[in-house]
C-alpha cells in the first residue's frame, strides 16, 4: 500500500484509468532459501499499516498461523508525509528493531534511487536492514506454505493443496472486482470509468453473496486465504469505501449474507483483533486529499454492529479445520479499546 502515489498498494492514477502496478521487489522468503532469503525465526520484520487492506492480509495470516514470535511486527503511522510510511507511533519516531524513521530507508538499503513508491506490507531483513519483498500477493501465500516449520501447534492450513485451483479462481475475481475494484471506482478520472468499476464491484459482491448463502466459507468448510483477502475489503466497506470511494449502491450492512459472513470472520480470533478502525478512517480521509480535500473524518458509521450475533455457525464449517484458534494477542500488539467497536 503506497499512498505517496495517492492510493493503496503499488499503483498509479491520473488522466487515465486507475492501474495497480506489480511489486518491484518480489524476492521470496522460502524454506529452502532459493532467493537467498531462508525462513529463519527472528531474522525478518514485517512492516505493515493497520489502515491498509493489503497489509492487513499479512496481519491476519500471521496471527492465525501463530508467527508472532518468529516474524516481528512494525506498525507504521496511518498518516504519511512526503517520505511515505513512517514510524512516528514508536518512541522517538524510530522503529525500535530496524532503527529507522521511514520504511523508505529499508528500500534505499536494498536499491538506492528506486523510482517506485514505498508500499506495505514489506518484509525487511533485520541484520542488513534491507527490504526483502513488498509482493503483497505472495507474502501471505508464503507465510502459509513456506513458513510451516515455524507455525504454532494447531495452525490452520490456509492454502490447502487440493483446493488451490478453486481458491486461486475465487481470489482472482475478488481481487479484480472487489479488492482492486473499490480503488478503480474511488480514483476513476471519468464517469464511464467509475461506472464500469462500480458495476463490476457490485456484480461480484452479489455473486459472492449468492455463493455464501448456504456455505460458511468461500472454499471448502474452513477459513482459507480467499476469506482473508475478501474480509480485508469488507471490513473497510461501510467505514470508507461506501462514501469515500463512492461505492454506494448499498452498504455491507444492507446485504444480510455478506454482513453476517463478515461479522463471523470479525468475531473469529485472528481477524477482528487485528483491525483498527481509527487507523483506517484517519488514513483514508486525511491522506487522500484529492478525494477529500477538507481532511474531515466522518464521525460514523456506528461500529457496534460488528459484535452482534451472526448465526453463521448454523451452516456448519470448521473455522480452523483440524487445528485450533490462535492464542491471545501479544500485549504490545493489542488494538486500543477506543479504536474498536
Amino acid at each position: 500500500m503506497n499512498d505517496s502515489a495517492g492510493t493503496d498498494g503499488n499503483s498509479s492514477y491520473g488522466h487515465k484509468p486507475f492501474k495497480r502496478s506489480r511489486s518491484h521487489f518480489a524476492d521470496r522468503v522460502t524454506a529452502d532459501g532459493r532467493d537467498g532469503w531462508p525462513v529463519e525465526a527472528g531474522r525478518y520484520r514485517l512492516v505493515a499499516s493497520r489502515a491498509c487492506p493489503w497489509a492487513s492480509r499479512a496481519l491476519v495470516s500471521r496471527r492465525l498461523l501463530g508467527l508472532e514470535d518468529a516474524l516481528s511486527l512494525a506498525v507504521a503511522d496511518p498518516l504519511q508525509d512526503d517520505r511515505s510510511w513512517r514510524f512516528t507511533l514508536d518512541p522517538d519516531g524510530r522503529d525500535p528493531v530496524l532503527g529507522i524513521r521511514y520504511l523508505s530507508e529499508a528500500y534505499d538499503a536494498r536499491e538506492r534511487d528506486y523510482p517506485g513508491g514505498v508500499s506495505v506490507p514489506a518484509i525487511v531483513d533485520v541484520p542488513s536492514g534491507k527490504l526483502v519483498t513488498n509482493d503483497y500477493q505472495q507474502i501471505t501465500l508464503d507465510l502459509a506454505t513456506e513458513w510451516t516449520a515455524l507455525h504454532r501447534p494447531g495452525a490452520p492450513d490456509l492454502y490447502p493443496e487440493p483446493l488451490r485451483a478453486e481458491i486461486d479462481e475465487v481470489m482472482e475475481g475478488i481481487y479484480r472486482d472487489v479488492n482492486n475494484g473499490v480503488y478503480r471506482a474511488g480514483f476513476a478520472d471519468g464517469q464511464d470509468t467509475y461506472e464500469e468499476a462500480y458495476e463490476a464491484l457490485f456484480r461480484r459482491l452479489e455473486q459472492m453473496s449468492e455463493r455464501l448463502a448456504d456455505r460458511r466459507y468461500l472454499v471448502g468448510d474452513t477459513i482459507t486465504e480467499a476469506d482473508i483477502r475478501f474480509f480485508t475489503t469488507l471490513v473497510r466497506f461501510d467505514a470508507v469505501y461506501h462514501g469515500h470511494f463512492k461505492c454506494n449502491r448499498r452498504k455491507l450492512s444492507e446485504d444480510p449474507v455478506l454482513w453476517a459472513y463478515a461479522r463471523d470472520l470479525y468475531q473469529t480470533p485472528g481477524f477482528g483483533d487485528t483491525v483498527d478502525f481509527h487507523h483506517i478512517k484517519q488514513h483514508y480521509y486525511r491522506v487522500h486529499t484529492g478525494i477529500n480535500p477538507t481532511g474531515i473524518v466522518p464521525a460514523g458509521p456506528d461500529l457496534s454492529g460488528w459484535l452482534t450475533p451472526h448465526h453463521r455457525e448454523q451452516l456448519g464449517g470448521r473455522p480452523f479445520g483440524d487445528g485450533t484458534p490462535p492464542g491471545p494477542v501479544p500485549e504490545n500488539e493489542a488494538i486500543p479499546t477506543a479504536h474498536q467497536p
Side-chain angles (χ1 to χ4, degrees):
M1 175 178 181
N2 163 32
D3 272 298
S4 61
T7 65
D8 300 343
N10 297 325
S11 51
S12 60
Y13 75 100
H15 300 294
K16 56 184 177 180
F18 171 83
K19 182 180 180 180
R20 189 174 304 282
S21 61
R22 291 178 178 270
S23 298
H24 181 75
F25 299 100
D27 286 3
R28 295 172 59 189
V29 181
T30 58
D32 63 7
R34 55 188 176 271
D35 284 357
W37 308 105
V39 170
E40 184 179 331
R43 175 172 175 178
Y44 305 100
R45 190 154 174 84
L46 173 66
V47 181
S49 164
R50 295 195 185 277
C52 169
W54 316 98
S56 290
R57 297 175 177 181
L59 295 177
V60 173
S61 296
R62 177 175 170 271
R63 277 278 294 134
L64 292 176
L65 299 172
L67 290 170
E68 293 98 326
D69 291 337
L71 177 63
S72 65
L73 175 64
V75 176
D77 193 315
L79 303 181
Q80 300 155 293
D81 62 20
D82 58 359
R83 292 185 60 182
S84 193
W85 298 108
R86 53 189 183 161
F87 299 109
T88 43
L89 300 179
D90 293 301
D92 301 321
R94 192 181 294 275
D95 180 77
V97 173
L98 299 174
I100 56 178
R101 295 186 181 277
Y102 291 88
L103 177 56
S104 60
E105 296 174 58
Y107 278 66
D108 289 342
R110 172 70 183 272
E111 182 179 317
R112 179 65 65 175
D113 299 324
Y114 154 65
V118 177
S119 65
V120 291
I123 291 181
V124 178
D125 178 48
V126 174
S128 68
K130 293 180 179 179
L131 177 76
V132 175
T133 179
N134 66 346
D135 190 345
Y136 62 97
Q137 297 281 46
Q138 190 63 44
I139 286 173
T140 48
L141 297 179
D142 284 342
L143 292 181
T145 60
E146 297 288 337
W147 290 66
T148 53
L150 299 177
H151 288 181
R152 65 179 174 86
D157 186 351
L158 299 176
Y159 196 45
E161 196 159 358
L163 299 177
R164 286 181 188 176
E166 184 179 0
I167 291 171
D168 290 346
E169 180 181 6
V170 170
M171 291 194 305
E172 195 280 330
I174 288 173
Y175 169 79
R176 183 184 62 247
D177 298 331
V178 181
N179 300 148
N180 204 39
V182 292
Y183 291 94
R184 292 176 54 235
F187 289 102
D189 64 348
Q191 191 69 34
D192 291 345
T193 303
Y194 160 72
E195 291 186 8
E196 179 183 355
Y198 177 95
E199 292 297 333
L201 166 65
F202 282 97
R203 185 165 55 246
R204 183 67 60 180
L205 289 176
E206 288 162 7
Q207 291 173 2
M208 293 300 100
S209 184
E210 292 173 4
R211 183 182 183 95
L212 289 162
D214 59 359
R215 57 194 302 168
R216 192 169 180 185
Y217 303 111
L218 284 170
V219 182
D221 67 347
T222 65
I223 291 165
T224 68
E225 175 80 11
D227 298 294
I228 295 172
R229 296 190 181 195
F230 197 25
F231 171 79
T232 58
T233 295
L234 294 182
V235 79
R236 290 161 172 78
F237 202 90
D238 288 4
V240 291
Y241 300 145
H242 179 271
H244 186 56
F245 280 177
K246 307 179 184 68
C247 299
N248 59 358
R249 175 174 290 173
R250 69 180 64 86
K251 296 177 180 177
L252 172 67
S253 57
E254 293 170 346
D255 183 310
V257 172
L258 292 183
W259 178 222
Y261 165 78
R263 297 196 327 271
D264 185 8
L265 291 178
Y266 184 87
Q267 294 171 32
T268 298
F271 283 84
D273 53 31
T274 70
V275 175
D276 190 318
F277 283 107
H278 177 74
H279 279 207
I280 291 168
K281 290 173 61 176
Q282 289 292 312
H283 174 80
Y284 280 90
Y285 288 107
R286 293 180 64 185
V287 170
H288 296 163
T289 54
I291 298 176
N292 187 38
T294 64
I296 293 173
V297 180
D302 179 5
L303 299 173
S304 61
W306 282 101
L307 301 178
T308 59
H310 52 77
H311 306 298
R312 294 277 295 178
E313 65 277 357
Q314 297 173 7
L315 295 174
R318 302 173 301 143
F320 306 101
D322 295 328
T324 57
V329 178
E331 186 176 350
N332 64 340
E333 296 183 12
I335 306 299
T337 302
H339 297 186
Q340 304 174 37

